[in-house]
Amino acid sequence: MALRQLASDQRENLHPTELAEAGERRADGRPWVMLNFVASIDGAATIDGGSTDLGDEEDMAMFKALRGVADVVLVGARTVIVEDYRPLSLDETRRARRVERGQDPAPTLAIVSGTLSLDVEQRVFSDSSYKPLVITGPYANPGRLANLGDAADVAVLPDVDPQSIVDRLSGAGIILLEGGPSLAGQFARAGLIDEFNLTVAPKLAGGESKRITGPDEIDPPYEMRLDRVVEGENMLFLRYVARA
């Protein structure tokens, strides 16, 4: 057994944007899918149903930086509701950096909702300049589909599974998956997670909080390689990539 101290090559004053933009992200013939989550030391992905009480300013800075490199931010409808998502926009600095890289000024927010458990009055639909893409399937509630009107672009897929979602978003270079745990677990079981950014919060939460990839077993376990460890003032930021 050979152990090594990861902090031996120490670098100071790293900026979240620098970390988020580092590393090559290229999948074979499809978008690169990266997952971003915060969890407690004892593995809780939520407290009182949401992730807000787990994060802090450091985690939020990394959260925004990762959004800045994505072409699509992908999230399940339940997470949008629980976390009260707002229209996805970026500050002028990040917008300019994206344009320099040849990306659109802001990523597309794509919301997965198989039965359309969404309400057009929710904050995420409040700005017509940042309309989300709602991805749904053949069992979508027709009334709710009609009620979306011009508040969102809608993609009705024959099956709302990870591969179909990735195929629909094939024009993207990078997809950032923000949850929730059920959707993350589906992508892991489908073998469609290339990168996992994990923020470890210095908290013990206990209880019966959901795991990051949901309650269902991943068989065989999804193997990843530790690529980077960064220590913040309070948080620990880990980056894993899928084994080739």
Side-chain angles (χ1 to χ4, degrees), residues 72-76 80 88 108-112 132-135 165 169:
V72 174
V73 173
L74 180 67
V75 63
V80 169
L88 200 160
T108 298
L109 177 61
I111 305 170
V112 180
L133 169 67
V134 174
I135 299 175
I165 294 170
L169 301 174

Side-chain angles (χ1 to χ4, degrees), residues 57-220:
E57 290 183 3
E58 290 180 339
D59 176 57
M60 180 56 66
M62 184 62 72
F63 174 83
K64 290 180 178 179
L66 288 169
R67 280 186 164 187
V69 302
D71 297 296
V72 174
V73 173
L74 180 67
V75 63
R78 177 169 174 75
T79 298
V80 169
I81 295 169
V82 170
E83 303 286 354
D84 193 19
Y85 266 53
R86 65 184 65 200
L88 200 160
S89 62
L90 301 178
D91 59 56
E92 288 302 321
T93 299
R94 288 195 174 92
R95 291 170 67 89
R97 291 176 73 89
R98 291 173 61 87
V99 172
E100 289 177 0
R101 293 195 299 265
Q103 293 179 288
D104 290 337
T108 298
L109 177 61
I111 305 170
V112 180
S113 181
T115 58
L116 277 189
S117 55
L118 294 165
D119 189 324
V120 74
E121 298 300 322
Q122 288 168 326
R123 183 167 63 163
V124 72
F125 300 112
S126 63
D127 188 342
S128 60
S129 300
Y130 299 99
K131 290 199 302 184
L133 169 67
V134 174
I135 299 175
T136 189
Y139 303 109
N141 183 296
R144 289 180 175 172
L145 184 61
N147 285 340
L148 281 177
D150 295 329
D153 296 318
V154 179
V156 181
L157 306 183
D159 194 357
V160 191
D161 63 273
Q163 187 61 62
S164 297
I165 294 170
V166 170
D167 289 345
R168 172 60 180 79
L169 301 174
S170 60
I174 301 173
I175 297 173
L176 171 58
L177 176 55
E178 293 184 349
S182 295
L183 189 61
Q186 292 172 30
F187 269 74
R189 285 188 291 278
L192 288 172
I193 295 178
D194 303 295
E195 173 183 347
F196 182 13
N197 292 277
L198 172 64
T199 302
V200 181
K203 297 181 180 181
L204 295 172
E208 299 181 355
S209 171
K210 289 185 177 180
R211 302 275 291 272
I212 287 171
T213 50
D216 297 329
E217 183 177 355
I218 300 172
D219 186 21

